[in-house]
Amino acid sequence: MIAQNLPLMRRFTIVLLLVLSSRVLGAGVRPNIVFVISDDQRFDALGAAGNEKIHTPNLDRMCAEGAYFRQSTVVVPQCSPVRASLLTGLVPHQNGWLSNQYHRPEVDGKHGLKGPFLPQLLSDGGYHTVLVGKWHLQIEPWESGFAEVRTWMPAGGGPYQGAKLAQGNSRKTTENPGMTNLVFEEDAEGFLKSAAAKEKPFFMWLALTAPHVPWTPNPPEIIKLYEGKTSDELLPKNFPTDIPHHDFLHYYEATSLADAITGRIKRTIKDAGLAENTVLVFLGDNGFMMGQKGVGAKGAGGKVVPYEASARTPLMIEGAGVSLKGTTDACVSSIDLPPTFLSLAGMKVPEHFVGRDLTPLLRGEAGAEKAFEEAFVEFADDQSKEFGDKAYRQIRTETHKLIVWVKPDKKPELYDVVKDPLEDHNLYGNEDVKAVQDDLSNRLSDWLKRTKDETFKWPR
Ligand SMILES: [Ca+2]
């Protein structure tokens, strides 16, 4: 406490110094967290990933000024289950929300999914929790701990203009004439500029629908970026030129829209005077195959599979307290974000959360990357008609991945993701990679034991 008998100016100076020093040292200051989720953005739909044909200047700047996790994978490459995993801190085989199509009966329905949920924990810990954008879950946002539900989309997708959107604590939707992602942006910026953003630390979950199909229409300044280009001219590095592929022109437009929005969100954070105490996180919720390995050359089904373009997505973190700048090869996962957010908020991480706290990495602590030598991916829905036969578990390191299919008659797959980025050569069973295979197999088995995966046995 500051002594009451000090002259007023002196007391004021001491208070000012205390505030300043706590901000500089990060001690006791709990940062705001702005979490932007893009939809179906593959890892290489990003300039910083070596794609010279796409325009993502704002995300590229995040990769340079913040921490860019270029090896990052999502724990399940599909929209709804990855969101459920972010809410619960648990992977699908633990929380039961296995896919868009199938949830275990005991967790199905509006009140099925069990907490404690990340927003609830943050809210209980003194954070103001705000949702804007795509939701794609059956549980109500306000029942999972969002104190302020702004403009949101209960469904998993919709048109880029004239989408049916809800407002506040109701699922009732009305057609919004605006461009969907710009409506979300404006609403998110409305919050950032509001007095509420300065009252106490906040957590904002901003989920865009870009670049999920239908990819158009887009604003004129976005269309202009690719004027005169054709989809064939826009294939990313390594993409095979001799296979049917989806429409890269409009996929890139939609990705550039997500990029432009993220850039403006960042500027709004700055203009609102929040930059000094805000962490900005950008995550792609899953990738999109665009035709690779015969998956997703048409329509909306380019994900779920365990391959790089589906399971590997952009992840960048920058802002208050993040001293790690530039690219890291740490094998982090989307499931590491719930514990990381709680840790940033100075809160205890529940023991049952299976992700790892990224904050030692973000602070640039020596040796922190040792805890990130591997990441796990799964598609645990072995029940649905649409995807049931595609269920798998996967372990991925910086150099290799092992995929084990739930169906016992499907041969496991082992790839050297550095030498064989398109995963064309299955090395499983080759004598010269036996040591790698055994090591990955043991680590996968340990993970399944640790996460009590009762529905899948490995080795078998
Ligand atoms: Ca998605």
Side-chain angles (χ1 to χ4, degrees), residues 44 46-47 50-56 225-226 229-239 241 248 252 256:
D44 60 359
L46 176 71
N51 186 332
E52 292 170 355
K53 294 167 183 170
I54 199 164
H55 294 273
T56 54
L225 295 171
Y226 301 97
K229 298 280 185 208
T230 65
S231 173
D232 286 347
E233 292 167 343
L234 293 169
L235 304 186
K237 195 171 70 181
N238 293 328
F239 197 96
T241 52
F248 274 99
Y252 281 9
S256 291

Side-chain angles (χ1 to χ4, degrees), residues 87 97 109-115 117 135 137-144 152 171:
L87 275 189
W97 205 261
K110 226 173 174 179
H111 305 292
L113 195 62
K114 297 285 178 289
F117 300 110
W135 185 237
L137 287 163
Q138 284 178 8
I139 187 173
E140 308 294 16
W142 53 94
E143 287 176 5
S144 70
W152 64 294
R171 274 194 186 250

Side-chain angles (χ1 to χ4, degrees), residues 38-41 78-79 82-83 134 212 285-287 303:
S38 68
D39 198 349
D40 290 9
Q41 184 179 1
Q78 202 187 25
C79 309
V82 79
R83 284 155 217 267
K134 165 170 163 171
H212 191 290
D285 77 330
N286 56 257
K303 38 220 174 181

Side-chain angles (χ1 to χ4, degrees), residues 118-184:
L118 172 70
Q120 188 63 58
L121 292 166
L122 288 165
S123 178
D124 291 348
Y127 268 64
H128 183 52
T129 47
V130 184
L131 170 76
V132 184
K134 165 170 163 171
W135 185 237
H136 204 182
L137 287 163
Q138 284 178 8
I139 187 173
E140 308 294 16
W142 53 94
E143 287 176 5
S144 70
F146 282 105
E148 185 172 348
V149 180
R150 294 177 71 100
T151 308
W152 64 294
M153 177 187 276
Y160 274 31
Q161 185 154 28
K164 290 194 160 173
L165 303 178
Q167 293 283 339
N169 294 10
S170 162
R171 274 194 186 250
K172 187 178 173 296
T173 58
T174 49
E175 194 175 302
N176 189 305
M179 295 187 113
T180 312
N181 290 285
L182 300 185
V183 171
F184 294 152

